[in-house]
Amino acid sequence: MVGAGYRYGIVILLALGILGLNSCKKNFEKYDTDNTGVSVYDPGLVFPGIQTALFGEEGNYQLDQNLNADCYSGYMMSPDPFRGNVNNLTYSLVDGWNQQIFIDGYTTSLFAINALAKAGTKNSAPDKWAVALILKVETMHRITDKYGPIAYSAAGKTLINTPYDDQKSVYNQFFLQLDTAVANLNTFIKANPGKTPFAPYDLVYGGDYTKWLKLANSLRLRLAMHIVKIDPTTAQAQAVKALDVASGGVLTTNDDNAGIAGGSYHNPLNVISTSWSDISLGAPMESYLVGYKDPRLASMASPATDPRFAGTYKGIRIGTAVTSKPGYSGYSILNINTDIAATRTGFASGSPMLFMTAGEVWFLKAEAALRGWTGAGDVQTDYNTGITTSMAQWGVNAGNYTGDATSKPIAYVDPSNAANNSPALSTITVAWDASASNEQKLERIITQKWIAMFPEGQEAWTEYRRTGYPKLFPVVINNSGGTIDTQIQIRRLAYPASEYTTNGAEVQKAVQALGGPDNGGTRVWWDVNKANF
Protein backbone atom coordinates (compact mmCIF):
# COMPACT_ATOMS: atom_id res chain seq x y z
CA MET A 1 0.00 0.00 0.00
CA VAL A 2 3.00 2.34 -0.26
CA GLY A 3 1.90 5.61 -1.79
CA ALA A 4 -1.78 5.26 -0.90
CA GLY A 5 -3.42 8.44 0.31
CA TYR A 6 -0.44 10.73 -0.21
CA ARG A 7 -0.87 14.38 -0.76
CA TYR A 8 2.04 16.18 -2.36
CA GLY A 9 2.43 19.70 -3.63
CA ILE A 10 1.89 23.16 -2.29
CA VAL A 11 -1.76 23.88 -1.57
CA ILE A 12 -2.25 26.94 0.57
CA LEU A 13 -0.34 29.71 2.22
CA LEU A 14 -1.75 29.81 5.72
CA ALA A 15 -2.94 33.16 7.00
CA LEU A 16 -0.17 33.11 9.56
CA GLY A 17 2.43 33.03 6.81
CA ILE A 18 3.30 29.34 7.07
CA LEU A 19 3.60 27.23 3.95
CA GLY A 20 1.49 24.04 4.08
CA LEU A 21 0.73 20.92 2.08
CA ASN A 22 -2.57 19.08 1.86
CA SER A 23 -1.59 16.88 4.81
CA CYS A 24 -1.10 20.02 6.87
CA LYS A 25 -4.35 21.50 5.59
CA LYS A 26 -6.17 18.34 6.54
CA ASN A 27 -4.94 18.55 10.12
CA PHE A 28 -6.02 22.18 10.41
CA GLU A 29 -9.43 21.59 8.87
CA LYS A 30 -10.12 18.69 11.20
CA TYR A 31 -10.47 21.13 14.08
CA ASP A 32 -12.08 24.15 12.45
CA THR A 33 -15.71 23.53 13.41
CA ASP A 34 -16.06 24.92 16.89
CA ASN A 35 -19.53 26.02 18.00
CA THR A 36 -18.01 28.77 20.10
CA GLY A 37 -17.00 30.56 16.93
CA VAL A 38 -13.27 30.28 17.58
CA SER A 39 -11.23 30.93 14.46
CA VAL A 40 -9.52 28.03 12.63
CA TYR A 41 -6.25 29.79 13.31
CA ASP A 42 -6.72 29.97 17.07
CA PRO A 43 -3.37 28.65 18.38
CA GLY A 44 -5.00 26.06 20.60
CA LEU A 45 -6.71 24.39 17.67
CA VAL A 46 -3.40 23.75 15.94
CA PHE A 47 -2.20 21.32 18.61
CA PRO A 48 -4.16 18.18 17.70
CA GLY A 49 -2.64 18.21 14.22
CA ILE A 50 0.87 18.65 15.60
CA GLN A 51 0.38 15.71 17.93
CA THR A 52 -1.07 13.31 15.36
CA ALA A 53 1.62 14.31 12.85
CA LEU A 54 4.22 12.84 15.18
CA PHE A 55 3.41 9.47 13.59
CA GLY A 56 0.77 10.33 11.00
CA GLU A 57 -1.87 8.07 9.54
CA GLU A 58 -1.18 4.76 7.83
CA GLY A 59 0.38 5.91 4.55
CA ASN A 60 2.45 8.65 6.17
CA TYR A 61 3.64 6.43 9.00
CA GLN A 62 4.59 3.67 6.61
CA LEU A 63 7.10 5.94 4.90
CA ASP A 64 8.04 8.12 7.86
CA GLN A 65 9.13 5.22 10.02
CA ASN A 66 7.77 1.77 9.28
CA LEU A 67 9.79 1.01 6.14
CA ASN A 68 12.99 2.31 7.69
CA ALA A 69 13.53 2.55 11.45
CA ASP A 70 10.93 -0.04 12.50
CA CYS A 71 12.76 -2.60 10.39
CA TYR A 72 16.32 -1.37 10.97
CA SER A 73 15.65 -1.75 14.70
CA GLY A 74 14.98 -5.48 14.29
CA TYR A 75 11.35 -5.15 15.33
CA MET A 76 9.73 -5.75 11.95
CA MET A 77 10.18 -6.77 8.35
CA SER A 78 7.84 -6.58 5.39
CA PRO A 79 6.48 -9.72 3.67
CA ASP A 80 5.76 -7.58 0.61
CA PRO A 81 8.40 -7.52 -2.18
CA PHE A 82 8.16 -3.78 -2.78
CA ARG A 83 9.97 -2.78 -6.00
CA GLY A 84 11.10 -6.36 -6.53
CA ASN A 85 12.93 -6.40 -3.17
CA VAL A 86 15.06 -3.43 -4.23
CA ASN A 87 14.07 -0.99 -1.51
CA ASN A 88 14.96 0.39 1.92
CA LEU A 89 14.84 -3.08 3.44
CA THR A 90 17.64 -4.32 1.22
CA TYR A 91 19.55 -1.04 1.64
CA SER A 92 18.58 0.39 -1.75
CA LEU A 93 17.19 3.63 -0.33
CA VAL A 94 14.05 4.80 -2.08
CA ASP A 95 14.07 8.57 -2.38
CA GLY A 96 10.33 8.78 -2.97
CA TRP A 97 9.72 6.97 0.29
CA ASN A 98 12.14 8.93 2.43
CA GLN A 99 11.09 12.42 1.38
CA GLN A 100 7.79 11.97 3.27
CA ILE A 101 9.68 12.38 6.54
CA PHE A 102 10.61 15.92 5.53
CA ILE A 103 7.07 16.73 4.38
CA ASP A 104 5.47 15.64 7.64
CA GLY A 105 8.17 16.92 9.97
CA TYR A 106 8.57 20.36 8.47
CA THR A 107 5.27 21.22 6.85
CA THR A 108 2.79 19.57 9.17
CA SER A 109 4.66 19.95 12.45
CA LEU A 110 7.44 22.51 12.51
CA PHE A 111 5.72 25.16 10.42
CA ALA A 112 2.58 24.81 12.54
CA ILE A 113 4.65 25.31 15.68
CA ASN A 114 6.22 28.37 14.08
CA ALA A 115 2.68 29.57 13.43
CA LEU A 116 2.02 29.39 17.16
CA ALA A 117 5.10 31.49 17.76
CA LYS A 118 3.96 34.07 15.20
CA ALA A 119 0.55 34.17 16.87
CA GLY A 120 2.23 35.25 20.11
CA THR A 121 1.69 32.02 22.02
CA LYS A 122 5.12 32.32 23.66
CA ASN A 123 3.93 35.30 25.68
CA SER A 124 0.15 34.95 25.74
CA ALA A 125 0.12 31.30 26.80
CA PRO A 126 3.57 30.20 27.98
CA ASP A 127 2.10 26.96 29.32
CA LYS A 128 0.85 25.96 25.86
CA TRP A 129 4.11 27.14 24.34
CA ALA A 130 5.89 24.75 26.68
CA VAL A 131 3.89 21.86 25.21
CA ALA A 132 4.67 23.09 21.70
CA LEU A 133 8.38 23.05 22.49
CA ILE A 134 8.21 19.52 23.89
CA LEU A 135 6.40 18.35 20.75
CA LYS A 136 8.91 20.22 18.60
CA VAL A 137 11.86 18.49 20.23
CA GLU A 138 10.14 15.09 20.11
CA THR A 139 9.33 15.51 16.42
CA MET A 140 12.61 16.96 15.26
CA HIS A 141 14.97 14.72 17.22
CA ARG A 142 13.48 11.84 15.27
CA ILE A 143 14.40 13.61 12.01
CA THR A 144 17.93 14.62 12.97
CA ASP A 145 18.56 11.11 14.29
CA LYS A 146 17.60 9.73 10.88
CA TYR A 147 19.66 12.15 8.80
CA GLY A 148 22.22 14.06 10.88
CA PRO A 149 22.45 17.84 10.19
CA ILE A 150 19.03 19.39 9.55
CA ALA A 151 17.47 22.79 9.02
CA TYR A 152 16.36 23.81 12.50
CA SER A 153 17.21 27.26 13.83
CA ALA A 154 16.21 28.92 10.53
CA ALA A 155 13.47 26.49 9.47
CA GLY A 156 10.24 28.27 8.66
CA LYS A 157 11.83 31.68 8.45
CA THR A 158 12.38 31.44 4.71
CA LEU A 159 10.94 29.33 1.92
CA ILE A 160 14.24 28.98 0.08
CA ASN A 161 17.95 28.68 0.95
CA THR A 162 17.31 27.49 4.50
CA PRO A 163 20.60 26.88 6.33
CA TYR A 164 21.20 23.52 8.00
CA ASP A 165 22.53 23.23 11.56
CA ASP A 166 25.10 20.60 12.45
CA GLN A 167 23.73 17.95 14.79
CA LYS A 168 25.62 19.15 17.85
CA SER A 169 24.01 22.56 17.44
CA VAL A 170 20.59 20.97 16.99
CA TYR A 171 20.97 18.99 20.20
CA ASN A 172 22.10 22.07 22.11
CA GLN A 173 18.97 23.85 20.91
CA PHE A 174 16.86 20.90 22.05
CA PHE A 175 18.25 21.18 25.57
CA LEU A 176 17.64 24.94 25.69
CA GLN A 177 14.08 24.52 24.45
CA LEU A 178 13.44 21.89 27.10
CA ASP A 179 14.81 24.36 29.67
CA THR A 180 12.12 26.83 28.60
CA ALA A 181 9.38 24.19 28.59
CA VAL A 182 10.24 22.94 32.08
CA ALA A 183 10.46 26.46 33.51
CA ASN A 184 7.15 27.50 31.94
CA LEU A 185 5.30 24.42 33.17
CA ASN A 186 6.73 24.63 36.68
CA THR A 187 5.69 28.27 36.88
CA PHE A 188 2.17 27.54 35.67
CA ILE A 189 1.67 24.50 37.90
CA LYS A 190 2.81 26.42 40.98
CA ALA A 191 0.50 29.34 40.24
CA ASN A 192 -2.48 27.28 39.03
CA PRO A 193 -2.55 23.91 40.84
CA GLY A 194 -4.89 21.43 39.20
CA LYS A 195 -5.80 23.70 36.27
CA THR A 196 -5.96 22.04 32.83
CA PRO A 197 -6.42 24.70 30.14
CA PHE A 198 -4.78 22.46 27.55
CA ALA A 199 -7.28 19.62 28.05
CA PRO A 200 -9.46 20.38 24.97
CA TYR A 201 -6.47 19.97 22.66
CA ASP A 202 -4.48 17.25 24.43
CA LEU A 203 -4.30 13.81 22.78
CA VAL A 204 -1.48 12.67 25.07
CA TYR A 205 -2.25 13.51 28.70
CA GLY A 206 -5.75 14.98 28.77
CA GLY A 207 -4.40 18.35 29.87
CA ASP A 208 -2.30 17.15 32.82
CA TYR A 209 0.70 19.48 32.87
CA THR A 210 2.46 17.50 35.61
CA LYS A 211 2.76 14.62 33.13
CA TRP A 212 3.96 16.90 30.33
CA LEU A 213 6.61 18.11 32.76
CA LYS A 214 7.70 14.52 33.43
CA LEU A 215 7.81 13.90 29.68
CA ALA A 216 10.05 16.95 29.14
CA ASN A 217 12.50 15.70 31.75
CA SER A 218 12.41 12.15 30.39
CA LEU A 219 13.01 13.41 26.86
CA ARG A 220 16.02 15.35 28.13
CA LEU A 221 17.35 12.13 29.70
CA ARG A 222 16.85 10.22 26.43
CA LEU A 223 18.67 12.88 24.40
CA ALA A 224 21.46 13.10 26.95
CA MET A 225 22.09 9.39 26.63
CA HIS A 226 22.19 9.67 22.83
CA ILE A 227 25.30 11.84 23.02
CA VAL A 228 27.16 10.03 25.80
CA LYS A 229 29.95 8.72 23.57
CA ILE A 230 30.56 11.93 21.61
CA ASP A 231 30.07 14.46 24.42
CA PRO A 232 30.07 12.69 27.80
CA THR A 233 30.37 15.93 29.79
CA THR A 234 27.22 17.46 28.32
CA ALA A 235 25.45 14.11 28.46
CA GLN A 236 26.07 13.76 32.18
CA ALA A 237 25.13 17.37 32.96
CA GLN A 238 21.84 17.09 31.06
CA ALA A 239 21.01 13.71 32.58
CA VAL A 240 21.61 14.97 36.11
CA LYS A 241 19.38 17.96 35.36
CA ALA A 242 16.64 15.63 34.09
CA LEU A 243 16.87 13.42 37.17
CA ASP A 244 16.72 16.30 39.65
CA VAL A 245 13.41 15.72 41.44
CA ALA A 246 13.02 19.46 41.92
CA SER A 247 12.52 19.82 38.16
CA GLY A 248 9.31 17.79 38.25
CA GLY A 249 10.41 14.18 37.94
CA VAL A 250 10.45 11.69 35.06
CA LEU A 251 8.05 9.01 33.82
CA THR A 252 7.91 6.31 36.50
CA THR A 253 4.64 4.39 36.09
CA ASN A 254 2.53 3.34 33.12
CA ASP A 255 0.09 6.11 34.00
CA ASP A 256 2.82 8.43 32.75
CA ASN A 257 3.26 6.76 29.35
CA ALA A 258 3.13 9.20 26.44
CA GLY A 259 1.07 8.15 23.43
CA ILE A 260 -1.24 9.63 20.81
CA ALA A 261 -4.88 8.64 21.18
CA GLY A 262 -8.28 10.26 20.83
CA GLY A 263 -10.40 12.05 18.29
CA SER A 264 -10.40 10.10 15.04
CA TYR A 265 -6.78 9.00 15.40
CA HIS A 266 -5.99 5.31 15.53
CA ASN A 267 -2.83 3.24 15.62
CA PRO A 268 -1.61 2.96 11.99
CA LEU A 269 0.33 -0.24 12.66
CA ASN A 270 -2.89 -2.23 12.88
CA VAL A 271 -3.92 -1.37 9.33
CA ILE A 272 -0.38 -1.76 7.95
CA SER A 273 0.04 -5.17 9.56
CA THR A 274 -3.45 -6.67 9.20
CA SER A 275 -5.46 -4.95 6.47
CA TRP A 276 -2.54 -4.26 4.16
CA SER A 277 -0.36 -7.23 5.22
CA ASP A 278 2.66 -4.99 4.67
CA ILE A 279 4.55 -5.61 7.92
CA SER A 280 5.39 -8.64 10.03
CA LEU A 281 7.45 -9.49 13.07
CA GLY A 282 11.22 -9.21 12.69
CA ALA A 283 13.48 -12.22 13.17
CA PRO A 284 15.35 -10.67 16.14
CA MET A 285 12.09 -10.43 18.09
CA GLU A 286 11.61 -14.15 17.62
CA SER A 287 15.21 -14.89 18.58
CA TYR A 288 15.16 -12.92 21.82
CA LEU A 289 11.58 -13.26 23.04
CA VAL A 290 11.12 -16.93 22.24
CA GLY A 291 14.56 -17.64 23.68
CA TYR A 292 13.73 -15.79 26.87
CA LYS A 293 10.24 -17.35 27.08
CA ASP A 294 9.11 -13.75 27.37
CA PRO A 295 5.43 -13.49 28.42
CA ARG A 296 5.04 -10.23 26.49
CA LEU A 297 5.42 -11.93 23.12
CA ALA A 298 1.78 -13.04 22.91
CA SER A 299 0.69 -9.45 23.55
CA MET A 300 3.09 -8.03 20.98
CA ALA A 301 2.58 -10.47 18.10
CA SER A 302 0.26 -13.13 16.76
CA PRO A 303 1.40 -16.71 16.12
CA ALA A 304 2.24 -17.73 12.58
CA THR A 305 -0.60 -19.09 10.47
CA ASP A 306 1.54 -20.89 7.87
CA PRO A 307 0.61 -24.60 8.22
CA ARG A 308 4.30 -25.56 8.38
CA PHE A 309 4.73 -23.89 11.76
CA ALA A 310 1.25 -22.68 12.73
CA GLY A 311 0.91 -21.70 16.36
CA THR A 312 4.56 -20.75 16.80
CA TYR A 313 6.12 -17.30 16.51
CA LYS A 314 8.11 -16.80 13.34
CA GLY A 315 9.72 -13.54 12.27
CA ILE A 316 11.28 -12.47 8.98
CA ARG A 317 14.92 -11.50 8.70
CA ILE A 318 15.61 -8.05 7.23
CA GLY A 319 16.74 -8.09 3.62
CA THR A 320 15.05 -11.40 2.89
CA ALA A 321 14.13 -11.93 -0.75
CA VAL A 322 10.44 -12.16 0.02
CA THR A 323 8.26 -13.64 -2.69
CA SER A 324 4.95 -12.25 -3.84
CA LYS A 325 2.11 -12.62 -1.39
CA PRO A 326 1.30 -14.96 0.24
CA GLY A 327 4.98 -16.06 0.35
CA TYR A 328 5.82 -14.78 3.84
CA SER A 329 2.35 -13.61 4.82
CA GLY A 330 1.84 -16.63 7.07
CA TYR A 331 4.63 -15.51 9.40
CA SER A 332 3.80 -13.68 12.66
CA ILE A 333 2.17 -10.27 12.41
CA LEU A 334 1.84 -7.59 15.04
CA ASN A 335 -0.85 -7.85 17.67
CA ILE A 336 -2.14 -4.30 17.70
CA ASN A 337 -5.50 -3.60 19.33
CA THR A 338 -7.24 -0.64 17.71
CA ASP A 339 -9.72 -0.16 20.54
CA ILE A 340 -8.99 2.85 22.68
CA ALA A 341 -9.69 2.02 26.31
CA ALA A 342 -12.21 4.20 28.14
CA THR A 343 -9.40 5.12 30.51
CA ARG A 344 -6.09 6.47 29.31
CA THR A 345 -4.28 4.92 32.28
CA GLY A 346 -1.17 3.13 31.13
CA PHE A 347 -2.49 2.45 27.62
CA ALA A 348 -2.46 -1.22 28.67
CA SER A 349 -3.95 -2.38 25.38
CA GLY A 350 -0.99 -0.97 23.49
CA SER A 351 -3.36 0.59 20.95
CA PRO A 352 -2.31 4.25 21.20
CA MET A 353 0.88 5.18 19.39
CA LEU A 354 3.30 5.31 22.29
CA PHE A 355 6.39 7.46 21.87
CA MET A 356 7.84 7.26 25.37
CA THR A 357 7.13 4.94 28.27
CA ALA A 358 8.09 4.60 31.90
CA GLY A 359 9.75 1.31 31.03
CA GLU A 360 12.18 3.08 28.71
CA VAL A 361 12.95 5.67 31.37
CA TRP A 362 13.79 3.06 34.01
CA PHE A 363 16.35 1.60 31.61
CA LEU A 364 17.73 5.07 30.92
CA LYS A 365 18.12 5.45 34.68
CA ALA A 366 19.80 2.04 34.86
CA GLU A 367 22.40 3.12 32.31
CA ALA A 368 22.88 6.44 34.08
CA ALA A 369 23.44 4.52 37.33
CA LEU A 370 25.91 2.23 35.57
CA ARG A 371 27.82 5.35 34.56
CA GLY A 372 27.75 6.63 38.14
CA TRP A 373 25.60 9.71 37.51
CA THR A 374 23.87 11.55 40.33
CA GLY A 375 20.16 10.93 40.80
CA ALA A 376 19.99 7.68 38.84
CA GLY A 377 19.57 5.29 41.76
CA ASP A 378 20.74 1.67 41.92
CA VAL A 379 21.47 0.04 38.59
CA GLN A 380 20.04 -3.39 39.41
CA THR A 381 16.89 -1.94 40.95
CA ASP A 382 16.35 0.37 37.97
CA TYR A 383 16.93 -2.53 35.56
CA ASN A 384 14.48 -4.87 37.27
CA THR A 385 11.91 -2.09 37.65
CA GLY A 386 12.17 -1.40 33.93
CA ILE A 387 11.29 -5.03 33.21
CA THR A 388 8.38 -5.25 35.64
CA THR A 389 7.01 -1.87 34.50
CA SER A 390 7.07 -3.05 30.89
CA MET A 391 5.41 -6.34 31.83
CA ALA A 392 2.62 -4.42 33.54
CA GLN A 393 2.22 -2.18 30.48
CA TRP A 394 1.62 -5.26 28.36
CA GLY A 395 -0.72 -6.77 30.95
CA VAL A 396 1.38 -9.82 31.81
CA ASN A 397 2.93 -11.24 34.96
CA ALA A 398 6.71 -11.16 35.13
CA GLY A 399 6.86 -14.32 37.23
CA ASN A 400 10.52 -15.32 37.69
CA TYR A 401 11.61 -13.58 34.49
CA THR A 402 14.03 -11.19 36.22
CA GLY A 403 15.68 -14.14 37.94
CA ASP A 404 16.20 -16.23 34.79
CA ALA A 405 19.95 -16.73 34.45
CA THR A 406 19.85 -19.55 31.89
CA SER A 407 17.51 -18.68 28.99
CA LYS A 408 19.24 -17.16 25.98
CA PRO A 409 18.31 -15.95 22.49
CA ILE A 410 17.72 -18.75 20.00
CA ALA A 411 19.02 -19.34 16.50
CA TYR A 412 16.90 -18.15 13.61
CA VAL A 413 15.59 -20.78 11.20
CA ASP A 414 13.63 -19.72 8.12
CA PRO A 415 11.46 -22.62 6.87
CA SER A 416 11.08 -20.84 3.51
CA ASN A 417 14.78 -20.38 2.77
CA ALA A 418 17.65 -21.93 4.69
CA ALA A 419 19.98 -19.24 3.32
CA ASN A 420 18.37 -16.88 5.83
CA ASN A 421 19.24 -19.06 8.84
CA SER A 422 21.59 -17.71 11.49
CA PRO A 423 22.89 -18.83 14.86
CA ALA A 424 21.95 -16.66 17.82
CA LEU A 425 24.21 -13.63 17.96
CA SER A 426 24.03 -13.05 21.70
CA THR A 427 24.40 -15.18 24.80
CA ILE A 428 23.14 -12.49 27.18
CA THR A 429 20.64 -13.68 29.79
CA VAL A 430 17.94 -11.78 31.67
CA ALA A 431 18.99 -12.01 35.33
CA TRP A 432 21.19 -9.17 36.54
CA ASP A 433 24.80 -10.19 37.10
CA ALA A 434 26.67 -7.82 39.38
CA SER A 435 29.97 -9.53 38.54
CA ALA A 436 29.67 -8.92 34.79
CA SER A 437 31.77 -6.33 32.97
CA ASN A 438 30.29 -2.91 32.33
CA GLU A 439 29.97 -3.80 28.66
CA GLN A 440 27.99 -6.95 29.50
CA LYS A 441 25.83 -4.96 31.89
CA LEU A 442 25.15 -2.40 29.14
CA GLU A 443 24.17 -5.16 26.71
CA ARG A 444 21.76 -6.56 29.29
CA ILE A 445 20.21 -3.12 29.92
CA ILE A 446 19.83 -2.20 26.25
CA THR A 447 18.50 -5.63 25.25
CA GLN A 448 15.70 -5.41 27.80
CA LYS A 449 15.14 -1.75 26.94
CA TRP A 450 14.76 -2.78 23.29
CA ILE A 451 12.06 -5.28 24.22
CA ALA A 452 10.29 -2.73 26.43
CA MET A 453 10.19 -0.02 23.73
CA PHE A 454 8.49 -2.23 21.13
CA PRO A 455 7.05 -1.19 18.67
CA GLU A 456 8.72 2.25 18.74
CA GLY A 457 11.34 1.51 16.14
CA GLN A 458 12.85 4.97 15.74
CA GLU A 459 14.25 5.07 19.25
CA ALA A 460 15.20 1.39 19.11
CA TRP A 461 17.22 1.98 15.91
CA THR A 462 18.93 4.97 17.53
CA GLU A 463 19.88 2.90 20.55
CA TYR A 464 21.18 0.08 18.37
CA ARG A 465 23.40 2.49 16.45
CA ARG A 466 24.58 4.17 19.66
CA THR A 467 25.40 0.98 21.58
CA GLY A 468 25.48 -1.96 19.16
CA TYR A 469 22.78 -3.68 21.22
CA PRO A 470 20.84 -5.82 21.00
CA LYS A 471 22.91 -7.81 18.53
CA LEU A 472 20.81 -7.90 15.35
CA PHE A 473 20.94 -10.22 12.35
CA PRO A 474 22.55 -8.36 9.44
CA VAL A 475 20.68 -7.72 6.22
CA VAL A 476 20.45 -10.81 3.97
CA ILE A 477 20.54 -9.00 0.62
CA ASN A 478 22.48 -5.75 0.47
CA ASN A 479 21.61 -3.67 -2.59
CA SER A 480 23.50 -0.57 -1.48
CA GLY A 481 26.26 -1.03 -4.06
CA GLY A 482 28.89 -1.08 -1.34
CA THR A 483 27.92 2.17 0.37
CA ILE A 484 26.53 0.39 3.45
CA ASP A 485 28.51 -2.32 5.20
CA THR A 486 26.41 -5.44 5.76
CA GLN A 487 27.88 -6.16 9.20
CA ILE A 488 27.99 -2.57 10.44
CA GLN A 489 24.44 -2.12 9.10
CA ILE A 490 22.68 1.05 7.99
CA ARG A 491 23.51 4.20 9.97
CA ARG A 492 21.26 6.92 8.49
CA LEU A 493 18.99 7.88 5.59
CA ALA A 494 20.12 9.97 2.61
CA TYR A 495 18.69 13.46 2.16
CA PRO A 496 15.77 13.58 -0.28
CA ALA A 497 16.52 14.63 -3.86
CA SER A 498 13.95 17.40 -3.43
CA GLU A 499 16.23 19.02 -0.86
CA TYR A 500 19.05 19.15 -3.39
CA THR A 501 16.66 20.69 -5.92
CA THR A 502 15.18 23.35 -3.65
CA ASN A 503 17.97 23.94 -1.12
CA GLY A 504 21.04 22.54 -2.84
CA ALA A 505 23.80 24.82 -1.57
CA GLU A 506 22.73 24.40 2.03
CA VAL A 507 22.39 20.64 1.70
CA GLN A 508 25.93 20.46 0.36
CA LYS A 509 27.10 22.32 3.47
CA ALA A 510 25.15 19.84 5.57
CA VAL A 511 26.94 16.94 3.91
CA GLN A 512 30.26 18.61 4.69
CA ALA A 513 29.19 18.89 8.33
CA LEU A 514 28.12 15.25 8.24
CA GLY A 515 31.72 14.34 7.48
CA GLY A 516 31.01 11.65 4.92
CA PRO A 517 29.06 10.91 1.76
CA ASP A 518 25.31 11.36 1.79
CA ASN A 519 24.41 7.69 2.00
CA GLY A 520 23.31 5.13 4.55
CA GLY A 521 26.82 4.11 5.50
CA THR A 522 27.89 7.45 7.01
CA ARG A 523 27.48 7.83 10.75
CA VAL A 524 25.62 10.76 12.33
CA TRP A 525 27.41 12.94 14.90
CA TRP A 526 26.56 10.98 18.04
CA ASP A 527 27.16 7.58 16.39
CA VAL A 528 30.79 7.15 17.41
CA ASN A 529 32.62 3.96 16.54
CA LYS A 530 34.37 3.30 19.83
CA ALA A 531 33.94 1.15 22.92
CA ASN A 532 31.09 2.14 25.20
CA PHE A 533 33.15 2.03 28.39
Side-chain angles (χ1 to χ4, degrees), residues 161 363 365:
N161 300 324
F363 290 113
K365 290 181 66 176

Side-chain angles (χ1 to χ4, degrees), residues 500-524:
Y500 283 92
T501 301
T502 61
N503 200 24
E506 299 302 330
V507 177
Q508 294 291 353
K509 294 176 186 177
V511 174
Q512 291 179 359
L514 182 65
D518 182 17
N519 59 44
T522 299
R523 296 172 184 267
V524 299

Side-chain angles (χ1 to χ4, degrees), residues 29 31 41 51 65 100 114 155 172 219 235 248 257-258 275 319 336 339 393 411 418 441 464 475 507:
E29 290 180 343
Y31 303 97
Y41 297 120
Q51 293 167 85
Q65 179 166 320
Q100 187 65 33
N114 286 342
N172 287 337
L219 182 54
N257 290 349
S275 299
I336 302 295
D339 295 332
Q393 176 194 325
K441 290 175 180 176
Y464 171 73
V475 67
V507 177

Side-chain angles (χ1 to χ4, degrees), residues 315-395:
I316 308 174
R317 188 170 162 185
I318 189 170
T320 292
V322 295
T323 54
S324 298
K325 297 176 186 178
Y328 278 81
S329 61
Y331 286 47
S332 293
I333 64 171
L334 309 189
N335 187 8
I336 302 295
N337 187 336
T338 58
D339 295 332
I340 303 299
T343 174
R344 304 177 65 83
T345 301
F347 299 125
S349 69
S351 55
M353 284 298 288
L354 294 171
F355 57 91
M356 198 164 200
T357 66
E360 177 191 342
V361 176
W362 281 109
F363 290 113
L364 285 166
K365 290 181 66 176
E367 183 178 349
L370 183 63
R371 297 181 182 281
W373 294 351
T374 302
D378 174 73
V379 60
Q380 181 174 353
T381 300
D382 290 344
Y383 171 79
N384 285 336
T385 303
I387 292 173
T388 56
T389 301
S390 175
M391 294 282 184
Q393 176 194 325
W394 288 98

